Amino acid sequence: MATVQLKNVNKCFGTTEVIPDISLEIPHGSFTVFVGPSGCGKSTLLRIVAGLEDVTRGRVDIDGKDVTFARPTERGIAMVFQSYALYPHMSVAQNIGFALKMAKVPPATIKERVKSAASILQLDELLDRKPGELSGGQRQRVAIGRAIVREPKVFLFDEPLSNLDAALRTQMRVELAQLHRRLGATMVYVTHDQVEAMTLADQIVVLNKGKIEQVGSPMELYQHPRTLFVAGFIGSPRMNLVSGAAARAFNANTVGIRPEHLDITNEGGAWRGDVLIAERLGSDTYLHIDVPDIGRIIARSPGDAAYAAGRSVGVNLRESCLHRFDEQGISL
């Protein structure tokens, strides 16, 4: 385990500046997730930590050591990529132990580490199989096993679940969380999926156009977003953001309210509108409501709520849960 520190890191590709200036500490033993839309700089930042991209300016420390100009193999890191990149002609055991073999680690040590990693990842019965005989989730576990056997100070994950279907992504999220608890290792994880970030991280770094918008725990970002960007990005469905006269009534340029903090009523209501669609998800129903002069908002109701498209409903806001933002999009 190790602390990772980025100190005034800047990255340019030619004349294009993709990371203006970032300083960040990734605590020892944490599961830190970089999250943001495509092009926000999260993968570039991860590759800088890995040593796969050089910094234009700034410094990278791992475990208190300056590794800014160190090769990836000298940094004490192991990286799991979006692509499994397994050797199809090798067995699972050979794939997991390949990096150790290339490093001329004694065969007995390789066998011991491969066996230990396979046990952690529930691959014991699959060690003699080839990658073509495995499911997507099993292949991803092999790729993670290849990182585990190297016993790194820091694990780096670059969107490792994006090639899996929805059910497997959910399963692998649970397995990664369990793996982190079991190993107690420092893990840095990149994703564009804020659900992955919320469910895996103990620290989330929200990035936007190469800049850090906010750093904090999942619930801190959810309950206390500091900017409009974070308010609109974190949460599924997203926070309702309203401007104009409706916001000025609350002495703000923009107000935000989450779907679960809106109450639906048949009569009256602070706002009134027509249900456009009712998304029934079992335990919850999400109502998309068109409110005149405000626009479309989303409200959460019980799964058996008897609201159908075209119905007029009232909407009441829980003002204690309201978020207010100024003209610059900063929380008031």
Side-chain angles (χ1 to χ4, degrees):
M1 294 190 292
T3 297
V4 179
Q5 292 179 304
L6 305 176
K7 301 178 179 179
N8 301 111
V9 166
N10 169 276
K11 177 63 180 179
C12 297
F13 292 105
T15 59
T16 303
E17 187 177 56
V18 294
I19 297 176
D21 187 304
I22 281 182
S23 293
L24 174 70
E25 179 167 320
I26 297 168
H28 173 81
S30 72
F31 198 127
T32 294
V33 175
F34 296 166
V35 68
S38 297
C40 71
K42 55 188 183 294
S43 289
T44 300
L45 203 59
L46 190 77
R47 291 173 64 84
I48 285 172
V49 175
L52 301 176
E53 294 283 358
D54 294 328
V55 299
T56 304
R57 294 191 305 275
R59 171 172 165 160
V60 180
D61 286 4
I62 297 178
D63 199 21
K65 178 183 177 183
D66 183 356
V67 298
T68 309
F69 301 106
R71 295 193 296 265
T73 54
E74 300 170 337
R75 297 190 177 208
I77 59 97
M79 192 160 178
V80 178
F81 295 91
Q82 180 177 344
S83 169
Y84 313 131
L86 303 179
Y87 295 104
H89 63 288
M90 293 184 183
S91 69
V92 167
Q94 290 170 329
N95 266 286
I96 293 175
F98 182 73
L100 299 182
K101 181 179 179 181
M102 295 301 294
K104 303 188 184 304
V105 173
T109 302
I110 295 176
K111 184 176 181 180
E112 180 183 341
R113 290 195 194 176
V114 169
K115 182 179 179 181
S116 175
S119 177
I120 290 171
L121 296 167
Q122 300 177 359
L123 293 171
D124 312 72
E125 306 299 322
L126 306 177
L127 288 175
D128 295 326
R129 294 191 188 181
K130 301 289 177 63
E133 302 173 82
L134 305 179
S135 69
Q138 289 168 338
R139 292 179 192 179
Q140 191 57 271
R141 288 204 294 272
V142 174
I144 294 170
R146 190 169 49 194
I148 290 175
V149 295
R150 296 177 61 187
E151 298 181 347
K153 296 176 181 178
V154 181
F155 287 85
L156 305 177
F157 297 88
D158 192 2
E159 304 208 42
L161 309 187
S162 58
N163 290 334
L164 305 180
D165 62 36
L168 272 177
R169 283 201 301 272
T170 300
Q171 176 187 334
M172 285 301 300
R173 285 203 305 266
V174 173
E175 292 181 8
L176 281 172
Q178 291 175 329
L179 177 66
H180 178 247
R181 285 196 296 271
R182 192 176 297 124
L183 298 179
T186 303
M187 295 186 174
V188 187
Y189 186 102
V190 160
T191 183
H192 64 278
D193 185 341
Q194 55 89 27
V195 174
E196 280 184 22
M198 291 288 290
T199 54
L200 285 172
D202 47 53
Q203 174 174 267
I204 297 177
V205 181
V206 182
L207 292 160
N208 180 30
K209 298 179 181 178
K211 298 180 181 179
I212 294 177
E213 290 274 340
Q214 189 171 348
V215 179
S217 69
M219 290 312 296
E220 181 182 352
L221 269 60
Y222 188 82
Q223 294 175 339
H224 305 289
R226 293 178 187 167
T227 68
L228 265 177
F229 180 84
V230 176
F233 192 84
I234 296 294
S236 180
R238 59 172 291 172
M239 181 185 290
N240 297 291
L241 299 172
V242 177
S243 57
R248 289 194 294 272
F250 295 100
N251 299 313
N253 188 71
T254 305
V255 294
I257 187 79
R258 295 206 178 274
E260 63 268 28
H261 298 145
L262 294 174
D263 298 314
I264 304 301
T265 178
N266 290 321
E267 304 296 333
W271 301 336
R272 286 200 69 82
D274 296 329
V275 176
L276 297 173
I277 188 172
E279 291 185 303
R280 301 194 180 279
L281 303 179
S283 60
D284 297 311
T285 291
Y286 287 101
L287 303 177
H288 294 247
I289 304 166
D290 184 27
V291 180
D293 301 321
I294 289 178
R296 182 180 299 191
I297 62 171
I298 301 175
R300 189 180 76 181
S301 291
D304 58 357
Y307 298 109
R311 181 166 176 175
S312 177
V313 295
V315 182
N316 287 318
L317 296 71
R318 302 180 199 172
E319 290 194 33
S320 62
C321 300
L322 202 66
H323 300 267
R324 298 171 175 82
F325 300 92
D326 65 16
E327 292 83 354
Q328 284 73 46
I330 305 301
S331 179
L332 295 170

